[in-house]
Structure formats: C-alpha cells, structure tokens
Amino acid sequence: MVIAALEQEQVDLVFGYPGGAVLTLYDELYRSGLKHILVRHEQGAVHAADGYARVSGKTGVVIATSGPGATNLVTGIATAYMDSVPLVLLTGQVATPLIGTDSFQEADITGITLPITKHNYLIKDIKELPDTLSEAFYIASSGRPGPVLVDIPKDIFEMEGRFDYKLKQDIPGYKPTVEGHGGQINRAVKAIREAKRPVIFAGGGVIISGAAAELQELAERCRIPVTLSLMALGAYPGDSPLFLGMPGMHGAVCANYALSEADLIIATGVRFDDRVTGKLESFAREAKIIHIDIDPAEIGKNVAIDIPIVGDVKRVLQGILKKVQPGDTGAWLKRIDEWREECFTCAEEQPENDVLTTPYVIREIDRLTAPDTIIATDVGQHQMWTAQHYCFRLPRTFISSGGLGTMGYGFPAALGAKLASPGSTVFCIAGDGSFQMNIQELATAVTHNIDVKVAIINNGYLGMVRQWQELFYGGRYAYSSLQGNPDFVKVAEAYGAKGLRASTPGELRKAIELALATKGPVIIDCQVVAEENVYPMVAPNRPINEIIMGSERK
Amino acid sequence: MKHVLAVLVENKSGVLTRVAGLFSRRGFNIENITVGETTSPGISRMTITVEGDEMVVEQVMKQLHKLVNVIKVSNLSHEPAVMRELMLIKVRAEAQTRSDIQQIVETFRGKVVDVSLDSMIIEVTGNDEKLEAIKLLLQHYGIRELARTGKLALLRGSKVTREA
C-alpha cells in the first residue's frame, strides 16, 4: 500500500536503510522496482533526499527502521525543517501491541520529531494509511514546505486494506494563503514608487516558489538593488550590476550598508534571521518594510513590518508587477556603486607564495565550471567563502544548510542533488571537519556511481570555531585543531573513488580539470593555509554596518 | 497583559502535546489551559490564558494556527466575553468556624459540597477576582487543598467562535 502511494505521488526515487520494522516494506520495495539508494547512515539518507528536493523542487522520500534508524534521521529532519525543504519520512515502528512497552528498537519518533516536523503521524489502523500518506505529501509540498514524518508499525505493514487514494486532501486546519491581499499589494506599489533608497531583500522563499524571474523583472524594471540571503543565492544573477551580495554577519559591505540606509526594504520570502539582522534594534532603522511571505507567523516575528503581505511570493510579485511604476533610484544606485568599490578591494585574489587560500580555491572552481553547476557546501568558513566568492547565476544551484547549520550536510546532499539533476556537474565544497561527519557516504557514491566532485578545504582546523576563538576567546584554540585527520586521498581510494591532492594554484587547476574529466566520484584534498579568517565580519549581536574588515585585524 | 484565546482543534491524539510543546519551545507562558468537546463531533475547544504583550500574543496565535490540527484561533480579550472558572477548596473547618465559613460561601454564591468533622469542600464559580477574593478569605481558616479548572470563555451576544 505504501509503495502504491509512492507511485501515485510519482516518486521515482527513495533513500533509505532497511531494518527489522521495515522488512515487509523493503520486501515490497524490492519487488516493485522503485529506485532505492542505500546509504551508509540514516542521516545521509535525509540529507541526500533534502539535496534531491532542493534541486528538483519535488518531495524527497526517506525510509528508515524503528528506534535507532528513526533517531538517526533527527539532525536531517531539523535541517530540512529550518530551511523549509519538502520531505516525507517513512519510519517503521514496533508492532502496535508492543508500542509503549519499551520493546526492542522502540523509540517515540513522533514525540521526538514533534518540534522539527511540519506535521507528523503515527498510524494505528490500516484504514488511516492511504489518507495519511496523501495528507503527508500534500502538507510537505504545499504552503511553506517542510518535512512530514509518518510512523508505521510493523504489523500495519503486514496487513491488507482497501487502497482508495485521493491525491489532494481537504484538511480543516490547513489552508495556506496563496493570493496576496489586493489592498496590501496597492500599498506596496505606492511605497515602491515613492521610495528613494529601496532595496530588495530576497530569501529562500523566492527559490521555493519559483519566483526568480519575477524578482529579476521587479529589480530591473524599477532599478532596485538586490541582496540575497544565503538561502536565496542563485535567485538573482550574481554577476548583475544590481546585485549587492549577501547581507549579514559575513555579508558584503555594500549589502549591509544598503540595508542600513535604505528607506524601503522589499523583503520577499525571508525570515530576518539573526545572522542577517545583527542587533535587531539597529536593523534598518530608516526603512519602511514590505514583507511578503507565505507563512503569516514569519511576519512581525523578529522585525516590525509596515506592509505585510501573506501569500506565495511568485503570485504576490506578479500582482505587484502588474501595477508597479519605477521610482527615482538614480542617486541611490550611485551611492551603492561607491560602497561596492570598497567591497571589491577587500576580496583577495591571487595568493602569494604559491600557497592556496580558500577564496582562491572557490574562485578557481567557479572559473572552471559551467554556470549551471550545482554547488553543495557543508557549514563553516568554507560555506561563507563559497557564498562570497562563487558567482551563483541560477536558482537551485546552491545547496547548503542555512538555518540549522548542519556540518556533514554537504556531501550526502550533493549525492541527492546529482540524482535530481544528472545532467549538471555537482561540486561539493566541504570542510575537513564537516566531511568527516558523513564520510561513510563515499560508499554510497561509489556503489551507485554518483558522479560528484568534492573539494575538501583542508586547513586542519574547525576553521570557523578557530576564527571565533582567535577573535573572541583570546586566541585559545580549545579543541578546534583536527590533528589526526586521515589522508583523504587514501580514504577516497580505499572506498574505490578517485583521490587527488592540491597544495599550489598550479596543482589545483590540474586537479579540478582532471576531476571534471573523470566519470564518477572524485575527492580533491585542497591543502589551504591553516589560519585564515572570513571577512568582512560583523560580530554577533552588533549592528550590521559595524563591519570588521580583514585589513584591520591585529 | 493576560489574553484568553479560544482554540478549536481536531480531536486527534497528540494535539494537546503539540499545543503545549509549542508554548514551551517558543518560550510563551501558559497561565492555564482547558480542553473539552464541542457540539461538532471530532472538534474540541481549548481555552488558553497567556501572559504577554500584543506582539507576543500575535505570534502565539500565528504559531498555533500553523499547527495542522488547529482549526481556528481567536482572542477573546478584545471583545465582551463571559469568563468563568470553577474552583474546589478543601478548607479546615471545626465546629466553631463552620458557620462563619458557610456565610462566606453564601456571600460568594458558592456551595458546600462535602463536610467532614474537621474540613469542608467548597465549590465556587466565577471570574479571576472573585476566586482570588474567596481564596484569600478562606486562607484565614487554613486551605488544605485546592483545585481549579482553568478559565472558560464565550463571547457575549449571538456571536460565536466557530470552525471556518
């Protein structure tokens, strides 16, 4: 019945790991011929499904067994929840008579995942199964997407029942607002026309709702500069003259200055995360804020909003575009160009002394890959440097754990990304720390021959932790050194993948070219200088125009 | 400020946990919460009293509304509404104090629902101030145990809080 539901939902691929409680399901899966990717740890399965969902826009599906199988999903579920990624997670549970008796491999996974799922279910009767599964897919993918978990006891898998499947459900307490309020749209149009210093601040919601084209039209027609949150990189071409870069803690100088001095912020599909706003009291004090989001709870959560518009970003932007007239932004754009000069002077280009710096590695990958290349990252310095130095031009080409900041996300997510878009080059930019958190998925990449390239930014440290220790903890590097790292080339080879090493710009270029020419997974161990810091930087809970630049250090 | 929210929910297992969990995880304070059936099968009504300013309560209501099992959330604090709570008090009562206590109970239009040699149980219904007032008076005689239902509320007049 579960497999039939997956077929109805046009699922073409599931990620999972078998175990006692899901043996019956796996037996059916085996016979159905539905494609299954066997991972080496359940966390890898969720991240892979997450990467698949972010690239394809479809719902990712994961299967895990009861108890430890289910609890191993938790980090991945929380990651997807924070970044609004549609997933359906099917977990096995012990048989219904055993629930609540602390039986073997029993864990209350609906209880555990309550705060990190959009919704979850424990099936107690086979009759509930078809409607629950269709509800799960509907809830996961509609409105503000998110992970939905369905916990199914072993004895339910073994039962037979009537399969009457309705594709969409009418759920009394779940009615996402799609169309924006007409009056509010008119107010927004008026505010845009009157603004002298407007900024568009777009977030992941723009990518999820497929509104990149509308965003671009609004920016270009009204000559409004655009800043994109980490989650939105690619939603607006990174090489456009109106693009300011990412705002916030490691944001571009001109993006932070622009937000701080704007008189109008058009916030679309963003949630004003603390990493963007810095100290809330000083955030955008001069600006009127229009906030467009499908989730009403995001409006006014962190920042007071002048013109709230609840609705799907794409539809609301279409509504605005029908009526909007450009204001006079010429002087403002000139001002921004002056700030931009400052931005570019701080971007270090060619490293000295024939060593590798991380920004150089990232720019080299950018130079040698096509614009539709998908970049997945882990979390830390390399993630911020990727956001700063790689030029993203297309939506759904940057895959990264933004909200939860999950180390170990990048590599399995890259595998999912490649399966979603087999025609694109997929490059994972990983940290030496992060990569080791899901290094076991090398086996998944090799056995399924998933053609993913990994650049491990190897500085021998938990770089971001070390940077904070240097700046805020008196240079005491408490346990942030990764002494004892394995030889990543040998690790790759041991798994049957190709391993390369680069420690100079010349070696790097050759390694990337060779990796791109090789079919199948390739690991490049990029040995970069050890103690490098990500700049610009805004200290936590400081106003975002108080920027620490690299040159000011020490 | 205190706000009284009427929340209509699907009567499904775990819905109370979802609501309670939401409050603790977002750092909202529940003063009290009551749950009971409504006239529509499968739908329960929660009455939740929360402490917080307008922004906090707006956020509470939006977050509650996000829960799939929650059908409707309304704030009854801004409209005329009848609010009642029931309290049971077991008070120390010897022969010489019994009639005094009975007088207090009558003044507050309460009821004596149980009597033993050295104690009485009193049932009293009303709004916050009334319950606090009788509690304060009876403390003088020694309250041995106390139980409250939490607040219930309905809008005055013919207006109703209904699903959809």
Side-chain angles (χ1 to χ4, degrees):
Chain A
M1 196 179 278
V2 176
I3 303 296
L6 295 181
E7 281 165 1
Q8 290 276 321
E9 298 289 346
Q10 299 183 331
V11 173
D12 47 17
L13 175 65
V14 298
F15 300 85
Y17 204 97
V22 287
L23 279 170
T24 314
L25 177 61
Y26 264 85
D27 192 45
E28 290 295 325
L29 184 66
Y30 188 67
R31 290 192 288 172
S32 76
L34 182 64
K35 192 170 175 190
H36 173 270
I37 301 293
L38 175 69
V39 293
R40 291 301 185 273
H41 185 291
E42 286 88 350
Q43 188 186 348
V46 204
H47 291 329
D50 173 315
Y52 174 86
R54 290 191 206 215
V55 166
S56 66
K58 294 196 279 186
T59 302
V61 180
V62 176
I63 303 174
T65 193
S66 65
T71 56
N72 275 347
L73 300 175
V74 168
T75 304
I77 298 174
T79 306
Y81 184 64
M82 283 287 256
D83 290 347
S84 309
V85 178
L87 296 181
V88 168
L89 308 129
L90 304 169
T91 49
Q93 181 54 277
V94 298
T96 37
L98 291 172
I99 291 178
T101 63
D102 303 320
S103 65
F104 179 66
Q105 291 196 331
E106 179 182 0
D108 172 16
I109 196 64
T110 48
I112 292 169
T113 59
L114 206 78
I116 53 166
T117 48
K118 190 172 170 188
H119 197 50
N120 64 20
Y121 300 88
L122 167 62
I123 304 288
K124 286 184 178 149
D125 186 334
I126 180 85
K127 288 201 223 73
E128 301 164 9
L129 190 58
D131 277 359
T132 303
L133 289 171
S134 83
E135 266 188 44
F137 274 93
Y138 173 56
I139 291 174
S141 60
S142 57
R144 177 181 183 174
V148 178
L149 182 139
V150 185
D151 197 23
I152 309 172
K154 186 176 166 76
D155 53 331
I156 303 267
F157 282 125
E158 288 159 357
M159 286 176 195
E160 287 189 8
R162 222 179 107 79
F163 185 72
D164 182 11
Y165 200 82
K166 298 184 273 301
L167 265 178
K168 200 177 154 184
Q169 292 286 320
D170 182 41
I171 307 165
Y174 181 75
K175 307 257 187 281
T177 308
V178 175
E179 298 296 340
H181 186 276
Q184 294 295 76
I185 288 177
N186 290 340
R187 286 180 65 202
V189 166
K190 183 164 174 277
I192 292 171
R193 197 187 55 231
E194 288 168 0
K196 294 274 174 285
R197 303 189 306 280
V199 176
I200 294 173
F201 170 32
V206 172
I207 291 179
I208 294 168
S209 88
E214 286 77 7
L215 179 81
Q216 203 166 336
E217 197 186 333
L218 177 66
E220 273 150 32
R221 213 203 293 166
C222 298
R223 306 294 302 155
I224 304 175
V226 178
T227 177
L228 297 175
S229 78
L230 182 73
M231 297 308 302
L233 291 176
Y236 190 79
D239 47 6
S240 154
L242 286 172
F243 184 59
L244 300 172
M246 176 179 79
M249 183 173 276
H250 290 296
V253 175
C254 55
N256 283 357
Y257 282 175
L259 282 176
S260 301
E261 299 200 8
D263 66 352
L264 178 72
I265 294 175
I266 305 154
T268 49
V270 286
R271 57 186 180 83
F272 294 96
D273 184 85
D274 57 284
R275 284 294 188 266
V276 165
T277 61
K279 191 176 181 179
L280 270 177
E281 298 76 47
S282 4
F283 179 74
R285 263 193 294 199
E286 294 172 38
K288 193 181 244 191
I289 304 180
I290 302 171
H291 191 182
I292 308 166
D293 205 291
I294 198 157
D295 179 358
E298 284 306 338
I299 294 177
K301 186 179 81 178
N302 295 335
V303 171
I305 301 301
D306 303 278
I307 307 176
I309 310 178
V310 178
D312 179 62
V313 170
K314 189 183 180 83
R315 300 285 192 89
V316 174
L317 286 180
Q318 284 169 344
I320 291 176
L321 283 171
K322 268 187 209 146
K323 302 176 183 166
V324 79
Q325 283 173 4
D328 176 18
T329 60
W332 174 233
L333 290 176
K334 230 172 158 178
R335 181 97 201 263
I336 282 170
D337 280 338
E338 288 163 24
W339 290 329
R340 200 190 298 269
E341 304 256 305
E342 290 180 46
C343 296
F344 278 118
T345 49
C346 69
E348 48 203 286
E349 181 51 17
Q350 188 70 30
E352 300 155 24
N353 308 331
D354 219 30
V355 294
L356 284 181
T357 64
T358 312
Y360 181 80
V361 174
I362 289 160
R363 282 167 181 258
E364 191 72 353
I365 293 171
D366 189 11
R367 279 188 287 269
L368 296 174
T369 52
D372 66 345
T373 299
I374 295 164
I375 301 289
T377 73
D378 278 306
V379 169
Q381 285 187 320
H382 69 277
Q383 179 191 31
M384 291 298 110
W385 273 317
T386 304
Q388 292 174 343
H389 295 281
Y390 192 96
C391 179
F392 293 96
R393 296 161 183 91
L394 296 165
R396 300 192 186 276
T397 57
F398 176 58
I399 307 298
S400 191
S401 167
L404 197 69
T406 307
M407 288 176 67
Y409 170 82
F411 181 48
L415 300 179
K418 181 69 185 183
L419 291 163
S421 181
S424 314
T425 302
V426 176
F427 232 107
C428 170
I429 297 174
D432 49 340
S434 292
F435 187 67
Q436 291 180 77
M437 285 205 182
N438 272 315
I439 198 166
Q440 77 285 348
E441 300 308 330
L442 272 168
T444 310
V446 170
T447 46
H448 292 278
N449 195 25
I450 305 171
D451 190 353
V452 165
K453 317 303 175 196
V454 184
I456 300 176
I457 305 297
N458 187 353
N459 56 10
Y461 278 106
L462 295 171
M464 189 60 92
V465 174
R466 191 206 54 73
Q467 175 171 345
W468 281 52
Q469 288 169 336
E470 178 190 325
L471 297 175
F472 309 121
Y473 293 88
R476 294 177 298 280
Y477 295 166
Y479 312 108
S480 54
S481 160
L482 293 175
Q483 258 180 6
N485 267 347
D487 178 329
F488 290 112
V489 174
K490 283 190 185 155
V491 170
E493 285 165 354
Y495 274 105
K498 193 171 190 66
L500 302 167
R501 180 167 290 124
S503 46
T504 65
E507 288 172 11
L508 179 70
R509 190 176 185 92
K510 267 187 230 143
I512 295 173
E513 282 168 350
L514 181 55
L516 292 171
T518 306
K519 279 253 170 275
V522 182
I523 305 293
I524 310 171
D525 178 14
C526 305
Q527 303 206 317
V528 296
V529 292
E531 298 193 19
E532 238 185 319
N533 288 344
V534 184
Y535 292 111
M537 179 178 192
V538 177
N541 202 30
R542 297 302 308 160
I544 55 168
N545 54 3
E546 272 182 27
I547 300 167
I548 312 170
M549 302 296 292
S551 52
E552 284 170 21
R553 103 192 224 218
K554 280 174 201 161
Chain B
M1 189 192 157
K2 277 181 195 169
H3 293 259
V4 179
L5 307 179
V7 184
L8 296 178
V9 299
E10 285 183 278
N11 189 5
K12 291 198 170 160
S13 70
V15 61
L16 185 60
T17 321
R18 286 177 204 279
V19 169
L22 175 78
F23 275 80
S24 65
R25 125 175 130 258
R26 299 247 175 214
F28 306 140
N29 284 320
I30 300 190
E31 193 115 326
N32 59 58
I33 180 167
T34 62
V35 196
E37 287 177 2
T38 62
T39 50
S40 319
I43 293 177
S44 295
R45 181 183 179 110
M46 292 186 181
T47 311
I48 305 175
T49 313
V50 284
E51 173 79 50
D53 60 26
E54 288 294 329
M55 242 180 101
V56 169
V57 172
E58 192 187 318
Q59 194 44 222
V60 169
M61 291 176 68
K62 284 172 169 177
Q63 292 293 348
L64 279 171
H65 205 85
K66 260 175 94 166
L67 296 176
V68 171
N69 295 143
V70 169
I71 299 166
K72 179 155 188 177
V73 187
S74 22
N75 189 344
L76 304 184
S77 310
H78 299 308
E79 295 181 72
V82 179
M83 298 193 190
R84 289 292 180 270
E85 185 174 0
L86 185 143
M87 179 162 75
L88 293 175
I89 313 170
K90 186 177 285 182
V91 66
R92 199 182 297 278
E94 270 91 40
Q96 59 270 37
T97 55
R98 206 169 280 152
S99 63
D100 287 2
I101 294 172
Q102 246 159 352
Q103 226 167 15
I104 294 172
V105 170
E106 267 167 42
T107 315
F108 281 88
R109 277 181 263 165
K111 260 193 270 177
V112 176
V113 288
D114 184 60
V115 184
S116 75
L117 277 178
D118 57 354
S119 75
M120 292 160 98
I121 298 179
I122 288 146
E123 172 193 316
V124 58
T125 323
N127 60 18
D128 266 352
E129 298 94 81
K130 178 175 163 187
L131 297 189
E132 284 307 312
I134 188 167
K135 197 172 98 190
L136 208 69
L137 277 172
L138 293 178
Q139 256 166 15
H140 176 70
Y141 302 93
I143 294 176
R144 308 186 58 175
E145 215 175 349
L146 184 143
R148 302 173 70 146
T149 57
K151 204 175 284 174
L152 294 176
L154 285 181
L155 289 175
R156 285 188 188 272
S158 53
K159 258 180 98 179
V160 292
T161 310
R162 244 203 224 125
E163 60 268 34

Coordinates of all heavy atoms in Angstrom, one line a residue, chain A residues 81 114-115 118-120 124 135 139 144 171-174 295-301, chain B residues 10 12-14 17-18 21 25-26 55 58-59 62-63 65-71:
Chain A
Y81 N 13.7 21.1 8.2 CA 12.6 22.0 8.7 C 13.0 23.5 8.7 O 12.3 24.3 8.4 CB 12.3 21.5 10.2 CG 11.2 22.2 10.8 CD1 9.9 22.1 10.3 CD2 11.4 23.0 12.0 CE1 8.8 22.8 11.0 CE2 10.3 23.7 12.6 CZ 9.1 23.6 12.1 OH 8.0 24.2 12.7
L114 N 8.3 16.0 17.0 CA 7.2 17.0 17.0 C 7.6 18.4 16.7 O 7.0 19.1 15.9 CB 6.5 16.9 18.4 CG 5.1 17.3 18.5 CD1 4.2 16.2 17.9 CD2 4.7 17.5 19.9
P115 N 8.7 18.9 17.4 CA 9.1 20.3 17.1 C 9.9 20.5 15.9 O 10.2 21.7 15.5 CB 10.0 20.7 18.3 CG 10.2 19.4 19.1 CD 9.5 18.3 18.4
K118 N 6.9 19.6 10.1 CA 5.7 20.5 9.8 C 4.5 19.8 10.4 O 3.6 20.4 10.9 CB 5.6 20.7 8.3 CG 4.6 21.7 7.9 CD 4.7 22.0 6.4 CE 3.5 22.9 6.0 NZ 3.4 23.0 4.5
H119 N 4.5 18.5 10.3 CA 3.4 17.7 10.9 C 4.0 16.2 11.0 O 4.9 15.9 10.2 CB 2.2 17.7 10.1 CG 0.9 17.3 10.9 ND1 0.6 17.8 12.1 CD2 0.0 16.4 10.5 CE1 -0.5 17.2 12.5 NE2 -0.9 16.4 11.6
N120 N 3.4 15.4 11.9 CA 3.7 14.0 11.8 C 2.6 13.1 12.3 O 1.6 13.6 12.8 CB 5.0 13.7 12.6 CG 4.9 14.0 14.1 OD1 3.8 14.0 14.7 ND2 6.0 14.2 14.8
K124 N -2.3 4.0 13.4 CA -2.7 2.9 14.4 C -3.7 2.0 13.7 O -4.0 1.0 14.3 CB -3.3 3.6 15.6 CG -2.3 4.3 16.5 CD -2.9 4.8 17.7 CE -1.9 5.4 18.7 NZ -2.5 6.5 19.4
E135 N -2.1 13.0 2.7 CA -2.0 14.2 3.5 C -0.6 14.6 3.7 O -0.2 15.8 3.6 CB -2.6 14.0 4.9 CG -4.1 14.5 5.0 CD -4.6 14.4 6.5 OE1 -3.9 14.9 7.4 OE2 -5.7 13.9 6.6
I139 N 0.9 18.1 2.6 CA 1.4 19.1 3.6 C 2.9 19.4 3.4 O 3.3 20.5 3.4 CB 1.1 18.6 5.0 CG1 -0.4 18.6 5.4 CG2 1.9 19.4 6.1 CD1 -0.8 18.0 6.7
R144 N 4.3 26.7 3.0 CA 5.7 26.7 3.3 C 6.1 25.3 3.4 O 5.7 24.7 4.4 CB 5.9 27.5 4.6 CG 7.4 27.5 4.9 CD 7.6 28.3 6.2 NE 9.0 28.3 6.6 CZ 9.5 29.0 7.6 NH1 8.7 29.7 8.4 NH2 10.8 29.1 7.9
I171 N -8.0 19.4 4.4 CA -7.6 19.3 5.8 C -8.2 20.6 6.5 O -7.8 21.7 6.1 CB -6.1 19.3 6.0 CG1 -5.5 18.1 5.1 CG2 -5.7 19.1 7.4 CD1 -4.0 18.1 4.9
P172 N -9.1 20.4 7.5 CA -9.8 21.6 8.0 C -8.9 22.6 8.6 O -9.1 23.8 8.4 CB -10.7 21.0 9.1 CG -10.3 19.5 9.2 CD -9.6 19.1 8.0
G173 N -7.8 22.2 9.2 CA -6.9 23.2 9.9 C -5.7 23.6 9.0 O -4.8 24.2 9.5
Y174 N -5.7 23.3 7.7 CA -4.6 23.6 6.9 C -5.0 24.2 5.6 O -5.4 23.5 4.7 CB -3.8 22.3 6.7 CG -2.5 22.5 5.9 CD1 -1.4 23.1 6.4 CD2 -2.5 22.1 4.5 CE1 -0.3 23.3 5.7 CE2 -1.3 22.3 3.8 CZ -0.2 22.9 4.4 OH 0.9 23.1 3.6
D295 N 4.1 32.3 5.0 CA 3.9 31.9 6.4 C 3.6 33.1 7.2 O 4.5 33.9 7.5 CB 5.1 31.2 6.9 CG 5.0 30.7 8.4 OD1 3.9 31.0 9.0 OD2 5.9 30.1 8.9
P296 N 2.3 33.3 7.6 CA 2.0 34.5 8.4 C 2.8 34.7 9.7 O 3.0 35.8 10.1 CB 0.5 34.4 8.7 CG 0.1 33.0 8.2 CD 1.2 32.5 7.4
A297 N 3.2 33.6 10.2 CA 3.9 33.6 11.5 C 5.3 34.2 11.4 O 5.9 34.7 12.3 CB 4.1 32.2 12.1
E298 N 5.8 34.3 10.1 CA 7.1 34.9 9.9 C 7.0 36.4 9.9 O 8.0 37.1 10.1 CB 7.8 34.4 8.6 CG 8.4 33.0 8.7 CD 9.3 32.8 9.8 OE1 9.9 33.8 10.3 OE2 9.5 31.7 10.2
I299 N 5.8 36.9 9.6 CA 5.7 38.4 9.5 C 5.5 39.0 10.9 O 4.7 38.6 11.7 CB 4.4 38.7 8.6 CG1 4.8 38.2 7.2 CG2 4.1 40.2 8.6 CD1 3.7 38.4 6.2
G300 N 6.5 39.9 11.2 CA 6.5 40.5 12.5 C 7.1 39.7 13.6 O 7.0 40.0 14.8
K301 N 7.7 38.5 13.2 CA 8.3 37.6 14.3 C 9.5 38.3 14.9 O 9.7 38.3 16.1 CB 8.7 36.3 13.7 CG 9.2 35.3 14.7 CD 9.5 33.9 14.1 CE 10.9 34.0 13.5 NZ 11.3 32.7 12.9
Chain B
E10 N -8.8 19.8 16.0 CA -9.3 18.5 15.7 C -8.9 17.6 16.9 O -7.8 17.6 17.4 CB -8.5 17.9 14.5 CG -8.9 18.5 13.2 CD -8.2 17.9 12.0 OE1 -7.1 18.3 11.8 OE2 -8.7 17.0 11.4
K12 N -7.6 14.9 17.8 CA -6.8 13.8 17.4 C -5.7 13.5 18.5 O -5.4 14.5 19.2 CB -6.1 14.1 16.1 CG -7.1 14.1 15.0 CD -6.4 13.9 13.6 CE -7.4 13.7 12.5 NZ -7.0 14.0 11.2
S13 N -5.2 12.3 18.6 CA -4.2 12.0 19.6 C -3.0 12.9 19.4 O -2.5 13.1 18.3 CB -3.9 10.6 19.7 OG -3.1 10.3 18.6
G14 N -2.5 13.4 20.5 CA -1.3 14.2 20.4 C -1.5 15.7 20.3 O -0.6 16.5 20.3
T17 N -0.4 17.7 23.2 CA 1.1 17.8 23.3 C 1.6 18.8 22.3 O 2.6 19.5 22.5 CB 1.7 16.4 22.9 OG1 0.9 15.4 23.4 CG2 3.1 16.2 23.3
R18 N 1.0 18.8 21.1 CA 1.5 19.8 20.1 C 1.3 21.2 20.6 O 2.2 22.0 20.4 CB 0.7 19.6 18.8 CG 1.1 18.3 18.0 CD 0.2 18.2 16.7 NE 0.2 16.8 16.3 CZ 1.2 16.2 15.6 NH1 2.2 16.9 15.2 NH2 1.1 14.9 15.3
G21 N 3.6 21.8 23.6 CA 5.0 21.8 23.2 C 5.4 23.1 22.5 O 6.5 23.6 22.7
R25 N 8.4 25.5 23.7 CA 9.6 25.6 22.8 C 9.8 27.1 22.3 O 10.9 27.5 22.1 CB 9.5 24.6 21.7 CG 9.5 25.0 20.3 CD 9.5 23.8 19.4 NE 8.5 23.9 18.4 CZ 7.3 23.3 18.4 NH1 7.0 22.5 19.4 NH2 6.4 23.5 17.5
R26 N 8.7 27.8 22.2 CA 8.8 29.2 21.8 C 8.9 30.1 23.0 O 8.9 31.4 22.8 CB 7.6 29.6 20.9 CG 7.6 28.7 19.6 CD 7.8 29.5 18.4 NE 7.8 28.7 17.2 CZ 8.6 28.9 16.2 NH1 9.4 30.0 16.2 NH2 8.6 28.1 15.1
M55 N 2.5 41.8 20.7 CA 3.3 41.2 19.8 C 3.5 39.7 20.1 O 3.5 38.8 19.2 CB 4.7 41.9 19.7 CG 5.0 42.5 18.3 SD 6.6 43.3 18.2 CE 7.5 42.0 17.4
E58 N 0.2 37.9 19.3 CA 0.0 37.7 17.9 C 0.9 36.6 17.4 O 0.4 35.7 16.6 CB 0.4 39.0 17.2 CG 0.0 39.1 15.7 CD 0.5 40.3 15.0 OE1 0.5 41.4 15.5 OE2 1.0 40.1 13.8
Q59 N 2.1 36.5 17.8 CA 3.0 35.4 17.5 C 2.4 34.1 18.0 O 2.4 33.1 17.2 CB 4.4 35.7 18.1 CG 5.6 35.0 17.5 CD 5.7 34.8 16.1 OE1 6.1 33.6 15.7 NE2 5.4 35.7 15.2
K62 N -0.4 33.1 15.7 CA 0.1 32.6 14.4 C 0.7 31.3 14.4 O 0.5 30.4 13.6 CB 1.1 33.6 13.8 CG 0.4 34.9 13.3 CD 1.5 35.9 13.0 CE 1.0 37.1 12.2 NZ 2.0 38.1 11.9
Q63 N 1.5 31.1 15.5 CA 2.2 29.8 15.6 C 1.1 28.7 15.9 O 1.3 27.6 15.3 CB 3.2 29.8 16.7 CG 4.4 30.7 16.5 CD 5.3 30.2 15.3 OE1 5.2 29.0 14.9 NE2 6.2 31.0 14.8
H65 N -1.9 28.7 14.8 CA -2.6 28.5 13.6 C -1.8 27.6 12.6 O -2.4 26.9 11.8 CB -2.9 29.8 13.0 CG -4.1 29.7 12.1 ND1 -5.4 29.8 12.5 CD2 -4.2 29.4 10.8 CE1 -6.2 29.6 11.5 NE2 -5.6 29.4 10.4
K66 N -0.5 27.6 12.8 CA 0.4 26.8 11.9 C 0.2 25.3 12.1 O 0.5 24.5 11.3 CB 1.8 27.2 12.1 CG 2.3 28.1 11.0 CD 3.8 28.6 11.4 CE 4.8 27.7 10.7 NZ 6.1 28.3 10.8
L67 N -0.2 25.0 13.4 CA -0.3 23.5 13.7 C -1.5 23.0 12.8 O -2.6 23.6 12.8 CB -0.7 23.3 15.1 CG 0.4 23.7 16.1 CD1 0.0 23.6 17.6 CD2 1.7 23.0 15.9
V68 N -1.2 21.9 12.1 CA -2.2 21.3 11.2 C -3.5 21.0 11.9 O -4.6 21.2 11.3 CB -1.6 20.1 10.5 CG1 -2.6 19.4 9.7 CG2 -0.4 20.6 9.6
N69 N -3.5 20.5 13.1 CA -4.7 20.1 13.8 C -5.5 21.3 14.4 O -6.5 21.1 15.0 CB -4.3 19.1 15.0 CG -3.8 17.8 14.5 OD1 -2.9 17.2 15.1 ND2 -4.3 17.4 13.3
V70 N -4.9 22.5 14.3 CA -5.6 23.7 14.9 C -6.5 24.3 13.8 O -6.0 24.6 12.7 CB -4.7 24.7 15.4 CG1 -5.4 26.0 15.7 CG2 -4.0 24.2 16.7
I71 N -7.8 24.4 14.1 CA -8.7 24.9 13.0 C -8.9 26.4 13.1 O -9.0 27.1 12.1 CB -10.1 24.1 13.1 CG1 -9.8 22.6 12.9 CG2 -11.1 24.7 12.1 CD1 -11.0 21.8 13.4

